[in-house]
Amino acid sequence: MTVEKTEIDTLVVGAGQAGVAMSEHLTKLGISHLVLEKNRIAEAWRTGRWDSLVANGPAWHDRFPNMTFAGFGPDDFVPKEQVADYFVAYAEKFSAPIRTGVEVKSAVRNEGRPGFTVETSAGIIEARRIVAATGPFQRPVIPAIAPQDASLHQLHSAQYYNPQQLPEGAVLVVGAGSSGVQIADELQRAGKTVYLSVGPHDRPPRAYRQRDFCWWLGVLGLWDAAASQPGKEHVTIAVSGARGGHTVDFRKLAYQGVNLVGLTRAFADGKVTFQTDLADNIANGDANYLSLLDAADAYIARNGLDLPEEPEARHFLPDPDCMVNPVTELDLKEAGITTIIWATGYVADYSWLKVDAFDENNKPKHQRGVSSEAGVYFLGLPWLSRRGSTFIWGVWHDAKYIADHIATQRKYSEYGNP
Ligand SMILES: Cc1cc2nc3c(=O)[nH]c(=O)nc-3n(C[C@H](O)[C@H](O)[C@H](O)COP(=O)(O)OP(=O)(O)OC[C@H]3O[C@@H](n4cnc5c(N)ncnc54)[C@H](O)[C@@H]3O)c2cc1C
């Protein structure tokens, strides 16, 4: 193994949007650093997402402050490959010191001297500080209820690319956040019979009174919410930028031909059972939708804005049959289901980071990314500082805060050591 001769102040692990943002802020502050990425820059956008995915927010919003998307208008929804290209170009802009194809295997605190010893696939590196920017959505989660049935083709949404990759037959999509709902829609449009298992969700309007919901969340201060509301920790957000962007409307999906079912409960004897919560979940999603319209109307009135009224946004289609007479059990063979797609989310994986910065549930202990282990930082985590923390624009601001913290700590270290 090689030993890095140069002393690295800060080692950033991961070169997704979080790592690139971190590098920009460290560069601006003149802090020597290195970014290690086991794959390519923004790999998750290239191979961890399905082919037709476009950004869920418009180009004017889902970007870093210092660069627009070349070739796209502000209201366009940028395809995922171009989102990845954007981060590559962004990193080139300030010659970010990123080394790709190098995996960090472990990091341990040094005994009797400052810093950390980091084992990588290319050798050992010594660093004073570590920023874990390895992503909020690292390890796909498939719940334990998944059936042990070799005749079924099962995959996580992270492994779904397009309808052609699936075998003949109907598909059960479990989870109706932004991924599940978009995948179900795409499969139904491709001619598949689709069952979509809908749990608790929020579904903001794509746009209301000529403003995208990203704008509304911004002016209403909702992106800045510091913590998830109690009871809403597991509520996903169903939004879509597909086909120019549209509001996710479960009733519309049902009339289009997607079979909606409640939360998936269990698999046994070739059957799947669902909870009887479909109508409640949709009603709660409607309430969330309407509350945003109300808040938007109040904001417009309070500020005297000249934005046209949109009363039709409050009209819902009649409840489809699958809501009125919910299916609670399906025989998988009779329904022709050959594939299950688990759009059930991800967890982070910090098994390489062997430091005292985790609680008893293995969750990072931190305040705005500054961990309980001096010199270790987390970036990109959900709710790191606010609701926007996992989003492209949000991570940039969190990275700035962490870079400032590092600069302050360096001043303390330099005191008395000119
Ligand atoms: C389906 C989907 C759609 C999304 N759409 C949007 C959107 O439209 N707009 C938006 O703002 N956000 C969106 N997000 C959220 C977020 O922007 C992305 O998840 C984004 O990829 C997170 O960036 P990150 O840099 O924090 O993590 P990642 O992009 O996951 O980057 C982490 C990097 O770390 C590397 N890595 C991991 N472990 C190691 C190691 N041990 N050594 C070296 N390298 C390592 C990985 O290879 C990876 O490249 C979406 C998320 C998903 C899942």
Side-chain angles (χ1 to χ4, degrees):
M1 276 195 181
T2 52
V3 178
E4 291 278 331
K5 294 283 181 242
T6 42
E7 156 98 6
I8 290 162
D9 184 284
T10 301
L11 177 68
V12 180
V13 186
Q17 61 206 31
V20 173
M22 195 68 231
S23 183
E24 180 183 18
H25 293 297
L26 292 171
T27 301
K28 275 187 185 151
L29 292 171
I31 298 171
S32 82
H33 67 283
L34 176 67
V35 185
L36 293 184
E37 164 57 53
K38 66 177 172 183
N39 296 307
R40 295 172 291 177
I41 294 173
E43 184 69 37
W45 283 99
R46 297 213 192 274
T47 48
R49 315 274 185 259
W50 62 96
D51 296 348
S52 68
L53 176 70
V54 298
N56 290 321
W60 68 265
H61 186 263
D62 280 17
R63 65 171 174 85
F64 289 164
N66 299 323
M67 194 171 109
T68 55
F69 281 95
F72 292 93
D75 295 322
D76 291 343
F77 295 92
V78 179
K80 55 133 195 160
E81 282 296 325
Q82 279 75 40
V83 174
D85 292 345
Y86 173 89
F87 292 120
V88 173
Y90 200 94
E92 277 167 7
K93 214 162 67 91
F94 59 92
S95 306
I98 298 175
R99 214 178 284 171
T100 55
V102 181
E103 182 173 1
V104 170
K105 305 272 194 190
S106 77
V108 292
R109 175 171 279 292
N110 294 328
E111 288 290 332
R113 65 192 163 97
F116 301 86
T117 299
V118 181
E119 190 193 333
T120 81
S121 54
I124 305 282
I125 288 178
E126 293 277 334
R128 288 296 285 265
R129 279 161 267 272
I130 294 177
V131 180
T134 47
F137 305 125
Q138 246 183 314
R139 204 150 43 77
V141 171
I142 294 185
I145 56 165
Q148 303 291 321
D149 181 344
S151 70
L152 283 168
H153 182 58
Q154 297 188 64
L155 65 163
H156 189 271
S157 55
Q159 297 151 328
Y160 169 79
Y161 295 108
N162 53 55
Q164 296 73 41
Q165 95 190 76
L166 302 185
E168 289 287 306
V171 185
L172 168 62
V173 180
V174 183
S178 297
S179 296
V181 95
Q182 291 184 39
I183 291 170
D185 186 20
E186 172 165 284
L187 290 171
Q188 194 280 331
R189 285 169 191 274
K192 292 255 180 213
T193 298
V194 178
Y195 294 85
L196 176 63
S197 173
V198 182
H201 59 268
D202 282 351
R203 59 163 196 108
R206 173 73 267 171
Y208 180 57
R209 300 184 70 172
Q210 292 190 346
R211 291 290 181 271
D212 192 86
F213 91 93
C214 290
W215 190 86
W216 284 118
L217 262 53
V219 297
L220 295 171
L222 299 173
W223 283 123
D224 289 328
S228 176
Q229 287 165 267
K232 283 223 159 193
E233 295 85 353
H234 304 296
V235 171
T236 57
I237 301 186
V239 292
S240 176
R243 301 188 313 285
H246 58 273
T247 299
V248 170
D249 179 341
F250 287 96
R251 290 178 185 79
K252 214 169 171 184
L253 270 180
Y255 286 113
Q256 180 186 314
V258 174
N259 303 288
L260 306 181
V261 289
L263 208 63
T264 302
R265 190 208 299 260
F267 291 82
D269 307 323
K271 294 188 173 122
V272 52
T273 50
F274 305 104
Q275 296 196 16
T276 53
D277 59 357
L278 177 64
D280 283 348
N281 292 338
I282 290 180
N284 291 335
D286 293 345
N288 162 262
Y289 168 94
L290 291 169
S291 72
L292 193 65
L293 302 196
D294 292 344
D297 285 341
Y299 181 90
I300 288 171
R302 200 167 54 247
N303 292 288
L305 300 189
D306 185 19
L307 293 173
E309 292 194 7
E310 200 182 327
E312 61 280 14
R314 292 176 184 274
H315 298 161
F316 293 149
L317 293 168
D319 288 352
D321 187 55
C322 58
M323 277 176 75
V324 182
N325 301 301
V327 169
T328 53
E329 184 178 280
L330 268 182
D331 184 302
L332 293 164
K333 278 220 169 67
E334 275 173 22
I337 293 174
T338 55
T339 300
I340 302 175
I341 298 180
W342 297 94
T344 38
Y346 303 76
V347 286
D349 179 0
Y350 294 111
S351 49
W352 56 273
L353 189 52
K354 300 177 195 314
V355 298
D356 184 19
F358 300 94
D359 67 14
E360 58 285 1
N361 298 317
N362 242 351
K363 293 249 183 294
K365 284 191 287 183
H366 71 91
Q367 197 184 14
R368 293 189 68 177
V370 180
S371 91
S372 54
E373 170 91 61
V376 173
Y377 298 85
F378 293 101
L379 183 58
L381 292 175
W383 300 97
L384 187 101
S385 71
R386 63 176 79 123
R387 183 182 193 169
S389 285
T390 50
F391 293 85
I392 294 169
W393 65 272
V395 82
W396 190 90
H397 294 284
D398 286 344
K400 186 168 186 304
Y401 178 83
I402 290 173
D404 284 342
H405 191 276
I406 290 173
T408 307
Q409 286 301 313
R410 278 163 55 88
K411 277 214 174 116
Y412 287 120
S413 306
E414 283 161 11
Y415 178 78
N417 289 314

